[in-house]
Amino acid sequence: MIASNKIINFNAGPAALPQEVVQQAAEAVLQYADSGTSILSIHHRGKYFLDILEESKQLVKELCGLNDDYEVLWLQGGGRMQFAMIPMNFLNEGQTAYYIDSGSWASDAIAHAQLYGNVQVLSSSKDHNYQQLPEIPSTITSNAAYLHLTSNNTIYGTQLQELPTVDVPLVVDMSSDIFSKRIDYSKCSLFYAVAQKNMGPAGATLVVLRKDMLSRIKRQLAPILDFKKQVEKNSVLNTAPVFPIYVSLLTLRWIKEKGIEQIEADNRQKADLLYAEVQRNTLFNCQVEDKDRSMMNVCFNGIDKTIEEAFINFAQENGCTNIKGHRYVGGLRVSLYNAISLEDVKYFIAVMQEFELSRH
Ligand SMILES: Cc1ncc(COP(=O)(O)O)c(C=O)c1O
C-alpha cells in the first residue's frame, strides 16, 4: 500500500496546526523566552504576556488590512459565547437583528439572538439541506441592529465567495475561514473566529470590532459579557487564556511569513484537486452546489454507507484521520485549513485512488 509514515489530521477543529508552530509552542511549554518559566505559568498581566497580546493584536490588524478604527479582542467561551454576546450587546429594544440561516451554526446563532430581542431570518437554505448558500438580500431596512452571516459553513462545506456590501452593521462568524484567503474585512462592523481551526488551540476566540459599535451598547451587562468593558480592559478583564493566545500569535507570524496571497493560492489548488478527484472517482460524489463549495471543508459522500465506512477505515490505516462527516449530516468531510499542505492533499487523493482500485 501507499507508504506513509506520518499522520495527516483532517479534523474540522481542533485542527492541525503548522508543524513549526507546534514545535515553537512545545519549546515555550518547557520555557518561555528568557522568563525561566513555562508559557503555561506566565502572569497574564505581566510584561511577557502583554507583549504577546500587543503583537497579536497588531498582526491581526495588519493581516486584515484594518486601521485603528478597529479593536481586537481575545475572549473565551468559543463561538457560542459570541452567538450570545452579539445580541446582548447590539440588539436593543425596538430593533430587529437580521440573520442568514446557512447552516447549523447560523441557526444556533439565531436561537441565541431570539433570547434577547426581535430576530428576522432573511433567508435560509434549510430546505436544501444547507447544500447551497441562501440568497443575501441587498436592501435591508436601515434601522436594523445588524446583519449576521456565517462566511464558511463547516458542517455542510459551503462558503461565501465574497462578503456582501450592506448599509447596516455587518457581523460575520469567520470561525472556519479566517486568514484562508483575501477577504475585505473592512466591510464588517464585527467579525469573530474561534482559534481552533486556522489559528491555534481551543480556548481563545478572536473578535474584531469597529470602535463605533461600542456606542450602540445600551444594556446593562455583566462586565465579562460587555464588549465596552472588554475593550477598556484590553482583553485581560479576567485571567486570559495565555497559551491559546500565544499559539495563535505563532500562527499569525507563520501566516504573515507565508503571505495571505500564497495561502489563498495553495488553498484554491488543494480544494480544486480534491473536488476534481471526488467527481472523477466512481465511489464518491459531492452534493454541494458547485458555486458555493468551500475551500476549507470538503464535504462529500460515498456511493453508499458501506463504502463510506470502508473508506474511513482504509484512510485511517493509511494515516489520514478524522475524515468522518459531522454527526448531523454523516458522509465524509476533509478539512483543508491552512496547515494542510498540497502534498498532504495529493497523498490523500492517492489513498482515494488506491481505495477505488481495491474495490473493483
Ligand atoms: C462556523 C462555526 N461557528 C461556530 C462554531 C462553534 O464554536 P464553539 O464550539 O467554540 O462554540 C463552530 C464550531 O465548529 C463553527 O464551525
Side-chain angles (χ1 to χ4, degrees):
M1 184 47 230
I2 307 163
S4 165
N5 45 21
K6 77 164 183 169
I7 300 286
I8 308 170
N9 180 3
F10 290 108
N11 202 26
L17 291 170
Q19 194 46 40
E20 49 268 54
V21 166
V22 174
Q23 184 66 40
Q24 289 163 7
E27 284 160 16
V29 167
L30 296 174
Q31 183 180 201
Y32 179 65
D34 61 355
S35 68
T37 187
S38 164
I39 185 78
L40 303 178
S41 312
I42 65 168
H43 183 32
H44 64 287
R45 295 184 208 279
K47 177 156 170 43
Y48 286 113
F49 181 62
L50 293 181
D51 286 350
I52 289 171
L53 202 56
E54 184 54 28
E55 186 187 341
S56 71
K57 291 183 176 199
Q58 288 309 326
L59 255 178
V60 167
K61 283 201 219 170
E62 187 184 330
L63 291 170
C64 296
L66 296 175
N67 59 21
D68 290 338
D69 291 346
Y70 285 82
E71 292 283 354
V72 179
L73 294 171
W74 289 105
L75 303 179
Q76 295 172 68
R80 286 171 182 83
M81 175 106 137
Q82 291 315 304
F83 295 169
M85 269 180 88
I86 288 160
M88 275 180 184
N89 281 265
F90 303 118
L91 176 51
N92 294 310
E93 240 185 87
Q95 287 185 312
T96 301
Y98 291 97
Y99 279 73
I100 303 292
D101 176 22
S102 55
S104 299
W105 296 120
S107 70
D108 204 13
I110 292 165
H112 280 70
Q114 283 165 338
L115 299 172
Y116 298 97
N118 291 329
V119 171
Q120 193 177 330
V121 179
L122 288 183
S123 56
S124 169
S125 51
K126 192 169 183 193
D127 290 348
H128 298 274
N129 298 323
Y130 297 123
Q131 283 169 336
Q132 64 187 56
L133 290 173
E135 288 294 318
I136 303 174
S138 51
T139 48
I140 297 162
T141 328
S142 56
N143 75 347
Y146 56 83
L147 168 68
H148 180 281
L149 304 176
T150 311
S151 55
N152 184 76
N153 299 287
T154 327
I155 297 177
Y156 304 89
T158 59
Q159 182 176 26
L160 263 181
Q161 304 310 312
E162 263 192 44
L163 293 178
T165 305
V166 287
D167 47 15
V168 298
L170 181 63
V171 172
V172 186
D173 177 356
M174 294 192 188
S175 290
S176 49
D177 68 350
I178 194 161
F179 303 131
S180 66
K181 59 175 186 170
R182 281 164 297 177
I183 294 175
D184 186 353
Y185 296 92
S186 70
K187 286 184 171 175
C188 301
S189 291
L190 183 153
F191 57 92
Y192 61 98
V194 298
Q196 65 264 22
K197 298 173 193 294
N198 253 341
M199 277 187 290
T205 303
L206 176 68
V207 181
V208 181
L209 77 165
R210 237 185 27 221
K211 286 177 180 158
D212 61 6
M213 288 298 280
L214 297 172
S215 62
R216 293 173 171 250
I217 304 170
K218 307 280 182 252
R219 265 199 192 88
Q220 193 71 30
L221 294 167
I224 192 83
L225 299 170
D226 186 329
F227 284 120
K228 249 186 325 227
K229 295 286 180 340
Q230 290 285 4
V231 166
E232 264 167 40
K233 298 288 180 187
N234 188 30
S235 307
V236 283
L237 189 149
N238 68 326
T239 309
V242 169
F243 186 62
I245 295 173
Y246 176 62
V247 180
S248 299
L249 169 61
L250 294 175
T251 313
L252 292 169
R253 287 181 187 154
W254 178 87
I255 292 170
K256 180 175 171 180
E257 199 178 312
K258 204 166 168 197
I260 292 278
E261 291 189 6
Q262 186 61 50
I263 286 177
E264 177 174 354
D266 289 355
N267 286 338
R268 169 63 51 212
Q269 200 183 350
K270 282 152 46 185
D272 284 351
L273 284 176
L274 184 50
Y275 282 116
E277 174 58 19
V278 169
Q279 185 160 339
R280 186 214 61 78
N281 197 304
T282 52
L283 300 178
F284 303 104
N285 56 64
C286 176
Q287 305 293 329
V288 180
E289 179 96 9
D290 258 33
K291 65 176 180 27
D292 296 333
R293 288 182 180 176
S294 168
M295 284 202 296
M296 295 283 94
N297 311 100
V298 177
C299 295
F300 58 105
N301 293 90
I303 48 171
D304 60 44
K305 294 271 166 266
T306 321
I307 287 290
E308 279 172 4
E309 271 166 36
F311 181 60
I312 289 167
N313 292 334
F314 186 84
Q316 174 84 33
E317 282 159 19
N318 287 286
C320 298
T321 65
N322 292 313
I323 62 160
K324 199 171 175 174
H326 189 276
R327 62 187 186 284
Y328 291 174
V329 292
L332 302 153
R333 172 173 59 176
V334 175
S335 295
L336 304 180
Y337 298 121
N338 295 346
I340 297 290
S341 68
L342 187 57
E343 286 62 45
D344 294 338
V345 175
K346 287 183 176 162
Y347 174 76
F348 180 72
I349 289 171
V351 171
M352 289 172 77
Q353 293 171 348
E354 185 91 11
F355 179 68
E356 185 186 29
L357 281 177
S358 77
R359 305 295 294 196
H360 289 304

